[in-house]
Amino acid sequence: MLLIRRKDAMDIDFSKMEFSDLQLSTPPSNEAEATERFFFTEKDVKELTHLDYVSGIPPFLRGPYPAMYKARPWTIRQYSGFSTAEESNAFYKKNVAAGQKGLSVAFDLATHRGYDSDHPDVASDVGKAGVAIDTVEDMIRLFHGIPLDHMSVSMTMNGAILPIMAFYIVAAEEQGVSLKKLSGTIQNDILKEYLVRNTYIYPPKAALKITSDILKYNSEQIPKFHNVSISGYHMQEAGATPDLELAYTLCNGIEYIKTGLEAGLTIDEFAPRLSFFWGIGMNHFEEVAKLRAARLLWATLIKPFQPKNETSMSLRAHSQTSGWSLTAQDPYNNLIRTTIEAIAAVLGHTQSLHTNAFDEALALPSEYSARLARETQLYVQKETGLTNVVDPLGGSYYLENLTAKLVEDALEHIRQIEQVGGMIHAIQQGIPQKRIEEASARRQARIDSKQETIIGVTNYQLEKEMEVDLRSISEEVRKRQIASLNIVKKKRNQTDVEHYLKALTECAQTGKGNLLEIAIEAARARATLGEISMAYEKVVGRFKEPITYVKGVYKEEFQSMNEVEKMKRGMDQFTRKLKRTPSILLAKMGQDGHDRGIKVLGSAFNDLGFDVHMSSLFQTPKEIANQAVQKQVDIVGFSSLAGGHKQLTSQLMEEIQKIKENQLIVIVGGIIPTEDIPFLTDLGVAAVFGPGTVIPEAAKEIMKILLENHRLEKETSNKG
């Protein structure tokens, strides 16, 4: 059997591959022809060669299984984590009793970033965006009473993958469950973290070493477990168009294929246990076509690695409805959006599905909203008849043509990535990041200028928004987590802990041994998540990257100039008085790595004439206050999407007062519950901008605040 190692795989020239079985259609001769077409006939599918493909056979266009949902309905998952292991466990048990077939664990940001709950840098993040896991004891409590040999478990974890996977394995052992019986998925897709989501810890090459060791260990010890869930979801959430999401996700998948081969595995030993994770947005048919195109492309890309097992070419998909499409305005309409997106995922043949809760644009989902989200899937699965046919939309003139076009467009992006040496090199050069940022800025400009309709935001707004009961997280969660952490530390054998942590560090230094295998021993000795993460960080360091933004794209796409002109009049007035343009520092604080919003703001504010400064991710309030003074900015704009806004803003205002910069204007934006706005304004925040804010309108308000602030300063100076 021919074994393609990493070097051989890199020698495959994707730019010269003929893709003979992918000559699906003749693309439109120009962009105008492509955008103006709205009527499709038999002529549009006449030359397509993929119409005869059937489900269950390569290239799996119509689904990975022969009878699809008739024999195997998709798994209903609910991505959730509720602050503490005990609270999450209670929620999981209720969901399982109500028909959920698999668990999908959401961890908090402190856990993602490899910090224990007692670390000072995560004071605002513990339990806010998921469940806090510090030790094996937390993992045991998370799955108490849930038999891990009967329940498929999906864990969205990438940065702190070593301790989380180790804790899960030890928790299963202490339940008396054989590793051979464990089933589920660990996301383990670190490359996409450098592209969009940013919950990384280590530099890319060091992180891929962990991926390699997990592939090797799990392929031998946990054969039913999916070892990597290659994620396009977060690319879509960051602004990627479907063709970019397709191409970059599959390119990441190829890198993991090369990593597994380099670890000494054959393609058939691990490729069947890879899965994919897709975002499903509101462009209904495009999302259906995307999933179909993904399977076709993956089968074609895997073929050169010469698998003997056909399932190595089969793309299995988990899907999640869009979080970005949810609106804070008229939020119950999000139930409709999620239903439409869920149906698109089903028509595209997803193997499992998570449906978002309607209140997630306002706060973390409540138990009530999570139940409605889960039951949406039950209605689609049990009451619509969609599971009775393998490919209900197969043969549609429009859908088949759209599938073909997505394949063509994605292939072009894939060739571009391979021409620079693959995704790792492309990420280092910033190529995919820039393409996604450009797409995000363009779309936001189209929304702000009302070229694209968002119901309740750009059109059909309510005169008065309805009130929704929202879930909030008490600061007591961190105190309880720290108390539990201290109990574990007191009971354990410290000599054993230090022994295994030292072994982990030596493994990182020498490259000898398997990192996960040693991490499991450390977990058995009750080493903490932070300690295991730091044992590796000592050798490889912690990755840091500044936030960048594109210039000129927002202004180029923005066509409605009324609000822009109003804003510019205020800016001209400011510039005449102060002989300079207004300056703003856009800041991210805490462990919130979601940077789509702040990048779009950077692009838009720059194009609107502001002098824009951008902080790095994961800054402390003290660091932001110091940067604001050093750069002599007029405004600090803090973006918060992970529930830490109250504590972080309080600390920021305190730090600003310490350095006597009281005249510095602070504004806050992001997912800010309405009920929290008075708290922020009482702190001295000048303005709060929630989801759906039109950027030129926000800029106009900021200019008004700046001019008023300057007038008051002048009056105070004159009185003095």
Side-chain angles (χ1 to χ4, degrees):
M1 180 177 183
L2 178 62
L3 175 63
I4 302 180
R5 300 281 183 177
R6 184 181 182 90
K7 180 180 182 302
D8 302 317
M10 290 295 290
D11 290 339
I12 296 172
D13 191 344
F14 286 86
S15 64
K16 294 181 180 179
M17 287 183 67
E18 295 182 3
F19 294 97
S20 57
D21 54 342
L22 290 182
Q23 294 175 0
L24 303 176
S25 66
T26 302
S29 59
N30 55 60
E31 186 174 349
E33 182 185 339
T35 57
E36 290 174 6
R37 297 198 62 198
F38 60 90
F39 186 72
F40 292 80
T41 70
E42 187 177 1
K43 292 181 181 179
D44 294 293
V45 298
K46 192 173 183 180
E47 296 183 7
L48 300 186
T49 60
H50 72 260
L51 295 179
D52 293 332
Y53 294 151
V54 297
S55 58
I57 300 174
F60 305 101
L61 175 76
R62 298 180 184 277
Y65 309 121
M68 283 307 297
Y69 301 139
K70 190 68 177 174
R72 190 185 301 193
W74 70 90
T75 300
I76 298 173
R77 293 192 184 276
Q78 203 64 27
Y79 177 58
S80 55
F82 282 73
S83 300
T84 64
E86 292 88 348
E87 189 179 356
S88 299
N89 176 262
F91 181 75
Y92 294 159
K93 286 177 178 176
K94 287 180 182 178
N95 284 2
V96 170
Q100 186 172 316
K101 299 301 183 184
L103 302 181
S104 188
V105 183
F107 298 97
D108 72 353
L109 291 173
T111 302
H112 273 288
R113 294 269 294 144
Y115 293 115
D116 287 335
S117 295
D118 59 358
H119 195 286
D121 286 358
V122 301
S124 63
D125 297 293
V126 175
K128 291 291 176 62
V131 59
I133 299 292
D134 293 315
T135 66
V136 166
E137 305 304 333
D138 288 330
M139 193 70 81
I140 290 171
R141 287 192 292 269
L142 185 67
F143 296 118
H144 176 70
I146 298 173
L148 293 177
D149 51 346
H150 291 93
M151 181 59 62
S152 171
V153 175
S154 174
M155 295 182 288
T156 300
M157 177 52 65
N158 303 287
I161 185 74
L162 268 181
I164 287 298
M165 194 71 216
F167 291 171
Y168 173 71
I169 288 170
V170 174
E173 288 176 346
E174 297 192 10
Q175 263 195 16
V177 175
S178 166
L179 298 189
K180 306 293 183 184
K181 294 183 178 180
L182 292 178
S183 66
T185 304
I186 187 77
Q187 190 166 93
N188 198 19
D189 177 10
I190 195 62
L191 290 178
K192 72 100 171 35
E193 299 296 335
Y194 306 106
L195 278 171
V196 286
R197 189 165 176 256
N198 302 311
T199 53
Y200 44 67
I201 301 175
Y202 314 112
K205 287 186 178 179
L208 276 175
K209 165 60 177 169
I210 297 174
T211 302
S212 174
D213 282 6
I214 289 174
L215 280 171
K216 189 169 181 62
Y217 182 91
N218 285 2
S219 294
E220 295 171 356
Q221 304 296 327
I222 318 178
K224 293 171 65 177
F225 215 76
H226 289 86
N227 301 314
V228 184
S229 176
I230 306 148
S231 176
Y233 178 86
H234 301 94
M235 296 184 202
Q236 186 189 86
E237 292 290 284
T241 53
D243 55 317
L244 290 175
E245 181 188 355
L246 262 178
Y248 297 157
T249 305
L250 296 176
C251 283
N252 282 348
I254 292 299
E255 288 296 334
Y256 297 129
I257 291 291
K258 296 170 186 174
T259 298
L261 296 174
E262 189 178 54
L265 300 170
T266 66
I267 187 74
D268 292 323
E269 283 180 303
F270 70 97
R273 307 313 300 169
L274 301 179
S275 64
F276 286 79
F277 174 25
W278 303 102
I280 307 295
M282 282 296 288
N283 193 325
H284 189 72
F285 287 98
E286 196 167 44
E287 296 297 349
V288 177
K290 181 179 74 181
L291 296 188
R292 299 165 101 248
R295 285 190 297 275
L296 187 59
L297 282 164
W298 184 245
T300 306
L301 292 170
I302 293 299
K303 198 172 183 179
F305 295 98
Q306 299 184 10
K308 303 297 183 184
N309 183 353
E310 287 186 346
T311 60
S312 294
M313 295 187 284
S314 176
L315 183 151
R316 273 82 57 193
H318 170 67
S319 301
Q320 180 173 338
T321 59
S322 174
W324 185 86
S325 71
L326 303 176
T327 66
Q329 296 79 5
D330 205 0
Y332 283 104
N333 281 344
N334 293 331
L335 290 164
I336 303 165
R337 292 185 174 98
T338 294
T339 301
I340 292 168
E341 292 167 349
I343 291 172
V346 171
L347 292 172
H349 317 116
T350 191
Q351 276 61 72
S352 63
L353 178 62
H354 164 80
T355 35
N356 285 333
F358 73 85
D359 55 357
E360 289 188 57
L362 297 163
L364 297 170
S366 65
E367 187 170 338
Y368 168 70
S369 66
R371 178 179 64 82
L372 291 180
R374 182 187 66 251
E375 289 181 351
T376 297
Q377 292 197 53
L378 290 173
Y379 299 141
V380 175
Q381 191 172 99
K382 305 296 184 182
E383 297 187 11
T384 63
L386 288 179
T387 59
N388 294 333
V389 181
V390 168
D391 190 16
L393 293 181
S396 159
Y397 301 147
Y398 174 51
L399 181 69
E400 300 296 1
N401 193 276
L402 188 55
T403 300
K405 187 174 188 312
L406 277 174
V407 168
E408 297 278 356
D409 292 345
L411 275 175
E412 183 57 34
H413 295 307
I414 291 169
R415 290 187 180 108
Q416 290 172 4
I417 296 300
E418 289 301 322
Q419 283 169 0
V420 299
M423 187 53 97
I424 295 175
H425 293 287
I427 288 171
Q428 290 170 342
Q429 296 176 37
I431 295 170
Q433 297 97 309
K434 184 179 179 182
R435 295 289 178 267
I436 293 173
E437 289 167 26
E438 289 173 345
S440 180
R442 284 196 180 92
R443 186 169 188 198
Q444 190 62 51
R446 289 197 298 272
I447 292 169
D448 287 348
S449 58
K450 296 190 177 182
Q451 299 173 67
E452 183 174 332
T453 298
I454 307 292
I455 303 299
V457 179
T458 62
N459 302 78
Y460 313 108
Q461 297 98 330
L462 294 178
E463 290 185 10
K464 182 181 179 181
E465 289 292 338
M466 63 182 68
E467 293 184 4
V468 178
D469 291 333
L470 301 176
R471 177 171 170 262
S472 61
I473 305 299
S474 168
E475 301 302 328
E476 291 297 315
V477 168
R478 183 172 185 249
K479 293 179 182 178
R480 293 199 302 269
Q481 198 67 25
I482 291 173
S484 176
L485 180 63
N486 289 336
I487 290 172
V488 172
K489 287 183 177 179
K490 286 180 181 178
K491 288 183 176 180
R492 68 189 187 181
N493 185 316
Q494 190 62 29
T495 301
D496 289 347
V497 171
E498 291 174 1
H499 169 75
Y500 290 117
L501 292 177
K502 182 180 178 182
L504 190 60
T505 298
E506 289 175 353
C507 178
Q509 290 170 332
T510 64
K512 296 179 181 178
N514 186 290
L515 291 167
L516 178 57
E517 193 171 340
I518 300 170
I520 292 168
E521 294 294 341
R524 290 189 183 118
R526 271 31 184 190
T528 71
L529 176 133
E531 290 168 339
I532 293 172
S533 298
M534 178 56 70
Y536 194 54
E537 185 182 331
K538 282 180 182 179
V539 179
V540 303
R542 184 170 279 264
F543 184 73
K544 292 184 179 180
E545 188 173 41
I547 302 177
T548 60
Y549 62 91
V550 296
K551 299 179 180 180
V553 173
Y554 184 90
K555 181 169 62 177
E556 178 184 283
E557 195 70 36
F558 198 97
Q559 295 182 1
S560 175
M561 297 305 294
N562 290 337
E563 293 300 328
V564 175
E565 291 304 321
K566 290 178 185 177
M567 188 278 304
K568 282 186 175 179
R569 284 196 291 270
M571 179 166 287
D572 290 341
Q573 189 179 353
F574 181 93
T575 304
R576 284 195 303 270
K577 288 183 177 180
L578 273 73
K579 309 300 181 186
R580 62 177 177 81
T581 56
S583 59
I584 185 169
L585 172 64
L586 296 175
K588 295 290 292 187
M589 295 187 289
Q591 302 307 308
D592 176 14
H594 298 88
D595 61 358
R596 172 181 181 159
I598 202 166
K599 284 184 174 182
V600 168
L601 284 172
S603 298
F605 278 21
N606 176 81
D607 290 359
L608 293 172
F610 284 80
D611 179 17
V612 177
H613 301 271
M614 195 81 78
S615 80
S616 298
L617 290 169
F618 315 123
Q619 298 291 286
T620 66
K622 184 176 182 178
E623 288 171 332
I624 293 301
N626 288 333
Q627 287 176 43
V629 173
Q630 181 184 0
K631 297 179 184 297
Q632 298 183 318
V633 299
D634 301 298
I635 310 165
V636 174
F638 165 41
S639 170
S640 176
L641 298 173
H645 51 277
K646 291 172 69 175
Q647 189 170 351
L648 289 167
T649 305
S650 296
Q651 293 171 2
L652 175 63
M653 302 305 280
E654 289 174 6
E655 293 297 336
I656 289 173
Q657 289 173 3
K658 285 179 184 177
I659 52 181
K660 298 181 180 180
E661 287 291 329
N662 295 330
Q663 73 274 22
L664 190 62
I665 297 168
V666 176
I667 61 175
V668 178
I671 299 179
I672 311 295
T674 304
E675 62 197 44
D676 291 348
I677 293 177
F679 174 87
L680 297 175
T681 53
D682 287 346
L683 290 174
V685 171
V688 178
F689 301 102
T693 299
V694 176
I695 293 177
E697 291 181 2
K700 183 180 68 172
E701 185 173 342
I702 290 167
M703 289 309 308
K704 183 179 178 181
I705 293 169
L706 276 171
L707 290 166
E708 178 65 16
N709 189 64
H710 175 66
R711 183 185 67 79
L712 292 174
E713 284 181 9
K714 190 173 182 181
E715 289 178 358
T716 302
S717 178
N718 290 338
K719 288 178 182 178

